[in-house]
Amino acid sequence: MENIVVKDNFLTDIDKDEIEKLLTSNYFPWFITEERNRTSPLEDISVLNKSGFKNTSLIKESPQFCHMFYDNVTNSMSNYHKVVDELLLKLDVHNDIIRAKANYLSQNNSFTKDNFHTPHIDFKVKHKVVLYYVNNSDGDTLFFDKDGNIINRIEPKKGRCIIFDGNILHASQNPINWQDRIVINIDLQDEKN
């Protein structure tokens, strides 16, 4: 699909290892999401049901830990923001950041390969999403059409980055075979705004 660009090997192995080492160290601060046992707000499922989205029975939620690098809503910036700055520099992307965060999902054996978190868009304004996979894992990123059909799925691969239009419904899956799934999620203002 033309609206989803996959970039592999844009970082050196040393760069990939440094990012993974930082985000998996004992000193990197992770925080549980506001909705403690949910990766998505409840109202997102309600909106999907009203729109005729199929397969809402496959939606399954789980706790998620986050680290906020940049948040334009609260005007806050983490001491670790340089990780995001470096990624965007290597990608030659210069759009303004709306929000940048790391997401940590742990292994969840109650998930099947068919389960996924609530499909959503990150923001209602036009935006681009940069999703960087910190480690090898299972727990694909799924993309959906408005009816709920899966139109694409991307496997987490350490050092892989996907860039897509923010208006595409997407969802993550918990890892089943791997211990954890760590991504950096960067929402950028669309140049057309």
Side-chain angles (χ1 to χ4, degrees), residues 76-167:
S76 59
M77 182 172 58
S78 156
N79 291 336
Y80 299 94
H81 69 89
K82 289 193 187 303
V83 172
V84 171
D85 299 342
E86 298 278 328
L87 278 175
L88 293 176
L89 186 65
K90 300 270 182 170
L91 288 166
D92 196 26
V93 173
H94 305 286
N95 304 50
D96 290 336
I97 297 171
I98 299 171
R99 180 185 69 190
K101 63 181 185 146
N103 295 330
Y104 179 100
L105 289 169
S106 62
Q107 184 180 47
N108 189 328
N109 292 318
S110 72
F111 265 67
T112 70
K113 65 178 181 55
D114 296 321
N115 292 124
F116 47 83
H117 299 125
T118 305
H120 63 281
I121 60 171
D122 294 351
F123 291 96
K124 292 183 180 172
V125 299
K126 283 186 129 191
H127 66 288
K128 296 274 186 211
V129 178
V130 174
L131 196 62
Y132 173 78
Y133 297 100
V134 173
N135 63 324
N136 289 315
S137 184
D138 55 330
D140 292 351
T141 301
L142 307 178
F143 295 92
F144 302 85
D145 65 16
K146 62 181 175 58
D147 297 322
N149 300 304
I150 296 172
I151 56 173
N152 203 340
R153 65 186 313 138
I154 308 294
E155 179 183 356
K157 177 183 169 191
K158 181 178 175 174
R160 171 173 285 165
C161 184
I162 54 177
I163 302 171
F164 58 94
D165 289 334
N167 65 342

Side-chain angles (χ1 to χ4, degrees), residues 1-187:
M1 172 170 218
E2 64 190 51
N3 293 332
I4 302 169
V5 176
V6 178
K7 294 184 176 252
D8 286 322
N9 304 316
F10 72 99
L11 293 176
T12 67
D13 288 343
I14 292 171
D15 290 338
K16 293 180 223 176
D17 289 345
E18 283 181 6
I19 293 170
E20 183 179 29
K21 184 178 176 184
L22 172 67
L23 272 68
T24 58
S25 79
N26 290 336
Y27 304 102
F28 189 78
W30 289 100
F31 303 92
I32 195 154
T33 54
E34 287 180 27
E35 293 199 31
R36 204 170 187 74
N37 292 315
R38 301 187 57 78
T39 44
S40 300
L42 281 170
E43 61 266 14
D44 287 352
I45 294 176
S46 176
V47 169
L48 289 174
N49 281 327
K50 288 178 186 171
S51 73
F53 189 93
K54 300 175 200 165
N55 299 322
T56 53
S57 62
L58 295 174
I59 294 172
K60 190 169 185 145
E61 297 297 343
S62 67
Q64 175 175 269
F65 289 89
C66 292
H67 177 90
M68 196 67 67
F69 293 107
Y70 286 100
D71 184 359
N72 269 354
V73 175
T74 61
N75 239 1
S76 59
M77 182 172 58
S78 156
N79 291 336
Y80 299 94
H81 69 89
K82 289 193 187 303
V83 172
V84 171
D85 299 342
E86 298 278 328
L87 278 175
L88 293 176
L89 186 65
K90 300 270 182 170
L91 288 166
D92 196 26
V93 173
H94 305 286
N95 304 50
D96 290 336
I97 297 171
I98 299 171
R99 180 185 69 190
K101 63 181 185 146
N103 295 330
Y104 179 100
L105 289 169
S106 62
Q107 184 180 47
N108 189 328
N109 292 318
S110 72
F111 265 67
T112 70
K113 65 178 181 55
D114 296 321
N115 292 124
F116 47 83
H117 299 125
T118 305
H120 63 281
I121 60 171
D122 294 351
F123 291 96
K124 292 183 180 172
V125 299
K126 283 186 129 191
H127 66 288
K128 296 274 186 211
V129 178
V130 174
L131 196 62
Y132 173 78
Y133 297 100
V134 173
N135 63 324
N136 289 315
S137 184
D138 55 330
D140 292 351
T141 301
L142 307 178
F143 295 92
F144 302 85
D145 65 16
K146 62 181 175 58
D147 297 322
N149 300 304
I150 296 172
I151 56 173
N152 203 340
R153 65 186 313 138
I154 308 294
E155 179 183 356
K157 177 183 169 191
K158 181 178 175 174
R160 171 173 285 165
C161 184
I162 54 177
I163 302 171
F164 58 94
D165 289 334
N167 65 342
I168 302 173
L169 278 175
H170 59 281
S172 55
Q173 296 179 299
N174 272 78
I176 300 168
N177 300 313
W178 290 75
Q179 182 178 337
D180 47 35
R181 175 188 188 270
I182 305 171
V183 301
I184 295 175
N185 176 295
I186 308 167
D187 293 298

